[in-house]
Amino acid sequence: MTFRQLESFLAVAREGSFSRAAVRIHLSQPTLSEHIHELEREVGARLFHRSGRRVTLTEAGRVFAPHASHIVAAAGDARHAVADLGGLTQGTLLVGASTTPGIYVLPRVVAAFQQRHPGATLTLSIANSRVIEERVRADELDLGVVGGHVLGPGERCLTAGLVDELVLIAAPRHPWTRSAPIRTRQLAEERLLIREPGSATRQVTERALQQAGIAPSRTIELNHTEAIKQSVMAGLGVAFVSLHAVHGEARARQLAIVPVRGLRIRRHFHVIQGAQELDADGKCSGV
C-alpha cells in the first residue's frame, strides 16, 4: 500500500469522478485507475461503486476512508513540521522520537527531508517518550516527536497536529474476532499486553481504561511494540497499539483489529523543542 494509492483513493472519494480526481492530483486517468485497482486488490474489497460516470464509495470504502485520511494527514503534518525548519543546507539536525512515530511515521519524513536538504545530516534516535523528553530537556536533541507530552519550563510545542489512534489487536483466531465489537467490560477478562513505564502508549491506554472503569486483571509488560505484536500473534493476550503499527499485519491477516463498543483512544504526536533560544512559550494541545 503506497501513499500515492491512498492519495488517489481520497481524490476519487472527494471528486466522485476518476477524471476529475486525475486532474486534481496531476495524474493520467489510466495511472490513477491502476492505483485504485492495486489498492482494492491489496485490501481485498471493492472500494467504489462505478455506474457510468458516477463513482460512489462502497461500504468497504466508507470504512477505509477515515483510515486513509488519517495516514495521509499524519505523514503530511510530520513532513511539514520538519520541512518548516527551512533553509538548512548543511550541518546536523538531531531528532529524537518515541517508538511509534520513530518507527512507523518518521522514516518517510526523514527521507523527504534529506531529498530537500541533501547537504544536511539528520540523525534520528528512537526511545520511549520519557527518554526523548529528558534528552530534549538536556539539550541533547534539537527536536523530539512524542505522544501525549506535557510541556516543561521553557519548552515549546512546535505542532500537536499529528493524530494517532490506538486500536485493540488480537490473534486472528481469538474468539473476540467473531463477536466484535466487544463490550468494554470484556477487557477485564483477558490478559493485556502493555508497554513499559515511560511509554506514552501505556499512559494513554491506562488513562482511557481508567476513564471507562476498566481494571485489567492480568497484564504482561513488554518494552517494544514489535514484541507486543509478536506476542499477540502467538496468542499470549491482546493489546492496544497504534493503528500506524499494525496496517501491514492486519492487511496480511496476521493480526485482527477488534472494535470496542464505546471506546475510542486517540492522541496527538507532539513535536517539541527545548529551552534554547525560545522567544515565546509553547503549548501542546489535543493530548
Side-chain angles (χ1 to χ4, degrees):
M1 186 180 301
T2 68
F3 273 78
R4 203 54 169 159
Q5 290 170 357
L6 295 177
E7 289 169 345
S8 298
F9 166 77
L10 293 173
V12 175
R14 282 192 299 266
E15 299 294 331
S17 161
F18 277 72
S19 58
R20 290 197 299 270
V23 171
R24 182 183 182 93
I25 61 175
H26 310 293
L27 286 179
S28 68
Q29 188 169 335
T31 299
L32 180 139
S33 296
E34 181 59 26
H35 284 329
I36 298 301
H37 288 314
E38 290 173 354
L39 186 59
E40 289 179 325
R41 283 197 296 270
E42 198 157 346
V43 300
R46 291 183 66 84
L47 300 174
F48 293 103
H49 291 299
R50 301 162 176 84
S51 177
R53 293 185 178 181
R54 188 181 178 196
V55 179
T56 58
L57 288 169
T58 63
E59 180 62 26
R62 285 191 290 273
V63 170
F64 185 73
H67 298 296
S69 298
H70 172 75
I71 295 169
V72 171
D77 285 346
R79 188 180 300 117
H80 291 317
V82 175
D84 281 347
L85 293 169
L88 186 60
T89 58
Q90 59 183 353
T92 300
L93 181 66
L94 304 176
V95 178
S98 57
T99 306
T100 299
I103 294 176
Y104 305 107
V105 178
L106 288 184
R108 291 184 180 87
V109 178
V110 171
F113 176 86
Q114 294 286 199
Q115 273 193 327
R116 183 171 175 178
H117 305 286
T121 300
L122 190 153
T123 300
L124 177 62
S125 298
I126 299 173
N128 72 31
S129 292
R130 180 185 296 170
V131 172
I132 296 302
E133 291 166 3
E134 290 172 352
R135 293 191 64 191
V136 169
R137 289 169 183 156
D139 199 28
E140 296 174 1
L141 296 169
D142 298 311
L143 296 173
V145 184
V146 296
H149 178 69
V150 177
L151 286 174
E155 290 180 336
R156 179 169 62 176
C157 183
L158 303 182
T159 179
L162 315 180
V163 180
D164 185 31
E165 182 171 358
L166 302 185
V167 294
L168 181 67
I169 58 170
R173 294 185 179 180
H174 194 286
W176 287 355
T177 64
R178 298 189 294 274
S179 59
I182 66 167
R183 299 182 182 275
T184 53
R185 56 180 169 77
Q186 291 177 259
L187 293 170
E189 303 167 2
E190 177 60 278
R191 183 186 294 112
L192 185 66
L193 310 185
I194 59 174
R195 286 283 305 278
E196 77 285 0
S199 160
T201 296
R202 174 168 173 167
Q203 293 170 355
V204 172
T205 300
E206 288 180 338
R207 183 165 61 238
L209 294 180
Q210 185 178 30
Q211 291 172 349
I214 302 300
S217 58
R218 295 175 294 160
T219 61
I220 293 180
E221 184 179 298
L222 297 164
N223 67 354
H224 202 288
T225 301
E226 289 298 316
I228 286 178
K229 290 195 298 183
Q230 292 297 323
S231 298
V232 171
M233 288 181 202
L236 191 58
V238 299
F240 285 95
V241 299
S242 168
L243 185 59
H244 288 292
V246 292
H247 275 293
E249 291 85 357
R251 189 169 61 246
R253 299 184 180 178
Q254 296 172 317
L255 287 169
I257 296 174
V258 181
V260 183
R261 186 175 291 128
L263 182 66
R264 188 176 187 186
I265 307 177
R266 304 184 75 191
R267 63 174 174 179
H268 287 68
F269 294 138
H270 297 148
V271 181
I272 60 172
Q273 188 179 48
Q276 297 295 318
E277 300 180 359
L278 297 185
D279 55 8
D281 291 333
K283 294 181 179 179
C284 280
S285 60
V287 176

